[in-house]
Amino acid sequence: MTDSPAVRIPLDPKEQPILDSLLSIRTNLELLKQDRSTYVKSEDVIRLYNEVMEQVEILNALRTTRRLEQNRVDTVLDDCFQLLSLSYLTIGKNHEAPAVYSAVSTIKRLLDHLKEATFYSPKDLESIGARLEDSRRYCDRGKESYSPHLLTLLNARIDVCQQTLAELQLNLSHLTPELTPKWDKLVSILRSLSACNTRSKFPNAEVDDFLEQLKEISEELRPYGIAAYESTGTKEEKVAEMMEKMQLTLEHPEPAPEAKTLLETLLQRCFIWAVTIKEKQGNIAVPFKETYDKLLGIKNQLEKLLLTQAWSLRETDLYSYQRQLDRIDESRVDGNFLDGLGRPAALYEQRTLLYLLRKSYATIYQLIISSEPVSEALLPIYNQLTTLRKCLLDVKKAGGISSPRELYPYSMKLNSIDNMRVDGKFMVGTDIPDGQGSVTQLLEECFELSYELRMDAEESSAEGKSGNDSDSVDGPLK
């Protein structure tokens, strides 16, 4: 069983029946996600959602004076909401309020980690901000369809995320348009260095290349009065080098103190991290090796899912990864990973483990936001049409076809998919899975592309024939 990590306090006896019901619902949700013999059906998910909301109403009635209490009921309830949210993605109801829960929970983790790390790019925040706006819109649209208890919970979580997002945006607002690209490049290099550090074979040459890039950026920032000591000499030599750089005549207006501090800190951190990982060569201290191996395994598995998502991912599979990461994240004390004796990790182990943790959460977020609004029952058809569309677009970009005959394989496949519809619907047995509109729209787009290619080929053929006839007429007159 995979409970959410949380502080446990004594359970009110009156809440025991609620806990028992939620445990039963959670078990049913887990069985639903594990059953690969059939696809997840909408009616099963909606039934379990209604059962959860019944327990929420009972719980809220009991806690009229204890709104902030957190005990095992809340951890199991969170499990149920996570599973329900991922199940809504699995059945193609991506734009419904319950589907928001998992995405917002992951966003909350990401934002907390970005705030803790103090380095991130504006693009990170743009993506998260857009997703939060979508989530708010889905909640507003669901006011007539879903329980106010759920909507209140979701809106409160979105509010917390947007507050943290605003703080992070304010932190980067001091960067000028000239300095922002350099900041983005430094963030990219720092992340790339961390990625190098977790490879099975340490890439010395690649790290050396990043060091050279850092030196180039450092030189580019010197005219702004921004410097970082990258020498490998003594402390006195580093200070002297830094003072020498700061005495240079500035070629650009000195940026705001906040922006200057941001860039100097990040530049310095990049240099230190590059030197540190070259010294360590990926060797993790024994007390933290088990955690490292576990996080690395999770990261690698999630990245494989990212590559094969369209064909192999059932969104509910993400639940177990979320819970494993949550338990590791919650085990930190004051942000530190501790060994068996309660001692905090050294800087190298700390940053390496945090990179793996954050990268895994970021991959889960990417998998969630790229989930297609189509039931897994229709995914095989949807994926085939997506591939067909890509092939037809590639043919069009390559200059089209010389003869309509070249379209026969595409036309046969499109017709065979179109013939699967019953009264305009793609049926699975007697069920009409969600995502009909998305699949039908994609099918129509493929037919339209095929038609355009055929018309272009026929026009080219007609023009060629006309040109040949003209040549044969003009020939004797010359």
Side-chain angles (χ1 to χ4, degrees):
M1 199 60 71
T2 51
D3 280 347
S4 300
V7 176
R8 303 292 170 81
I9 65 173
L11 181 68
D12 183 338
K14 293 181 181 179
E15 293 186 7
Q16 186 61 50
I18 300 174
L19 177 60
D20 293 340
S21 296
L22 290 175
L23 286 170
S24 175
I25 295 169
R26 186 180 69 177
T27 299
N28 289 332
L29 283 165
E30 289 187 324
L31 291 173
L32 201 63
K33 82 178 185 69
Q34 291 167 5
D35 184 6
R36 296 283 179 169
S37 63
T38 183
Y39 68 93
V40 178
K41 296 180 176 62
S42 297
E43 56 266 29
D44 293 332
V45 175
I46 293 171
R47 173 177 54 79
L48 290 168
Y49 162 79
N50 290 330
E51 291 179 11
V52 169
M53 295 316 303
E54 287 176 11
Q55 299 306 313
V56 170
E57 291 181 15
I58 298 171
L59 181 64
N60 285 341
L62 285 175
R63 289 188 181 176
T64 52
T65 59
R66 298 180 289 119
R67 291 298 187 194
L68 300 180
E69 183 169 318
Q70 292 286 309
N71 57 37
R72 188 155 188 253
V73 171
D74 300 276
T75 64
V76 177
L77 181 59
D78 182 56
D79 289 339
C80 291
F81 276 133
Q82 289 280 9
L83 280 164
L84 279 170
S85 182
L86 293 169
S87 296
Y88 265 73
L89 295 177
T90 303
I91 62 177
K93 294 183 179 291
N94 300 39
H95 302 157
E96 302 291 323
V100 167
Y101 190 93
S102 185
V104 173
S105 296
T106 304
I107 286 174
K108 176 67 169 61
R109 294 274 180 182
L110 281 176
L111 289 172
D112 288 344
H113 278 287
L114 291 178
K115 186 175 181 179
E116 180 184 24
T118 68
F119 71 87
Y120 42 87
S121 73
K123 291 182 180 179
D124 296 332
L125 305 186
E126 288 172 11
S127 172
I128 290 175
R131 188 66 189 189
L132 287 174
E133 290 178 6
D134 289 342
S135 298
R136 182 82 76 183
R137 188 169 68 253
Y138 300 154
C139 290
D140 291 342
R141 197 171 63 192
K143 288 180 179 178
E144 303 298 324
S145 308
Y146 294 99
S147 166
H149 299 287
L150 172 68
L151 297 176
T152 299
L153 172 64
L154 291 174
N155 280 310
R157 292 197 169 201
I158 293 171
D159 288 340
V160 170
C161 289
Q162 289 186 319
Q163 181 178 351
T164 305
L165 178 64
E167 294 175 13
L168 297 176
Q169 289 171 330
L170 179 62
N171 192 40
L172 294 187
S173 65
H174 304 291
L175 295 172
T176 63
E178 295 82 8
L179 293 176
T180 297
K182 293 176 173 55
W183 169 267
D184 289 341
K185 182 64 175 177
L186 288 173
V187 170
S188 175
I189 289 175
L190 188 54
R191 289 175 176 172
S192 298
L193 287 169
S194 294
C196 289
N197 184 48
T198 59
R199 293 188 192 170
S200 56
K201 184 178 179 181
F202 189 84
N204 281 290
E206 195 169 336
V207 174
D208 288 338
D209 180 60
F210 284 126
L211 269 170
E212 289 302 315
Q213 292 182 46
L214 288 172
K215 291 175 183 177
E216 290 175 7
I217 295 174
S218 182
E219 290 301 315
E220 292 171 1
L221 290 173
R222 286 176 65 185
Y224 293 90
I226 297 169
Y229 53 85
E230 68 267 18
S231 73
T232 56
T234 64
K235 182 178 179 181
E236 291 74 17
E237 290 171 340
K238 291 175 181 177
V239 172
E241 180 181 348
M242 195 168 180
M243 291 301 295
E244 179 186 348
K245 289 181 178 180
M246 296 306 295
Q247 290 171 0
L248 293 173
T249 302
L250 300 185
E251 298 176 15
H252 299 280
E254 189 168 346
E258 295 87 353
K260 187 174 179 181
T261 300
L262 276 173
L263 280 159
E264 285 182 345
T265 302
L266 182 54
L267 186 59
Q268 178 180 329
R269 184 171 179 177
C270 286
F271 275 117
I272 293 174
W273 188 232
V275 172
T276 301
I277 65 174
K278 277 186 69 68
E279 290 175 353
K280 293 290 185 178
Q281 296 282 305
N283 295 315
I284 301 293
V286 174
F288 300 97
K289 191 68 167 63
E290 183 179 351
T291 304
Y292 172 83
D293 290 340
K294 187 171 185 178
L295 284 171
L296 183 61
I298 292 172
K299 181 187 83 76
N300 291 339
Q301 290 170 38
L302 287 169
E303 288 179 343
K304 286 180 182 176
L305 283 177
L306 201 57
L307 293 173
T308 62
Q309 176 181 13
W311 301 97
S312 63
L313 177 68
R314 173 181 275 188
E315 282 80 1
T316 48
D317 295 339
L318 297 176
Y319 172 76
S320 61
Y321 296 113
Q322 286 178 325
R323 284 303 176 237
Q324 291 178 72
L325 293 171
D326 291 348
R327 287 199 299 275
I328 294 172
D329 199 13
E330 294 291 337
S331 70
R332 295 193 292 148
V333 178
D334 296 328
N336 294 313
F337 290 93
L338 304 180
D339 64 13
L341 299 177
R343 296 172 299 192
L347 176 67
Y348 175 71
E349 282 74 22
Q350 175 76 5
R351 287 190 178 173
T352 301
L353 295 176
L354 280 175
Y355 164 75
L356 292 172
L357 186 62
R358 291 165 182 163
K359 180 66 174 177
S360 296
Y361 274 125
T363 307
I364 286 177
Y365 170 73
Q366 189 63 38
L367 286 164
I368 288 174
I369 66 173
S370 56
S371 172
E372 298 290 351
V374 175
S375 168
E376 67 171 345
L378 295 182
L379 269 182
I381 298 173
Y382 185 85
N383 290 335
Q384 290 177 55
L385 287 171
T386 301
T387 302
L388 276 170
R389 177 180 176 275
K390 183 178 184 302
C391 291
L392 289 168
L393 285 172
D394 288 343
V395 170
K396 189 173 183 179
K397 289 177 183 177
I401 56 175
S402 57
S403 167
R405 287 179 176 274
E406 297 176 33
L407 284 175
Y408 283 177
Y410 304 107
S411 299
M412 289 175 64
K413 186 61 180 178
L414 286 172
N415 287 325
S416 69
I417 292 176
D418 190 29
N419 290 335
M420 294 170 65
R421 293 196 286 180
V422 179
D423 296 329
K425 303 289 184 183
F426 289 97
M427 307 283 290
V428 178
T430 58
D431 298 329
I432 305 176
D434 286 276
Q436 298 286 330
S438 297
V439 177
T440 300
Q441 181 180 351
L442 194 53
L443 178 63
E444 290 173 352
E445 188 174 349
C446 288
F447 271 123
E448 185 175 341
L449 282 168
S450 178
Y451 177 77
E452 290 175 0
L453 287 168
R454 177 176 283 105
M455 290 298 100
D456 290 343
E458 290 178 355
E459 287 178 10
S460 297
S461 177
E463 289 174 2
K465 185 176 180 181
S466 174
N468 292 333
D469 291 344
S470 176
D471 289 344
S472 64
V473 170
D474 292 343
L477 298 176
K478 288 184 179 180

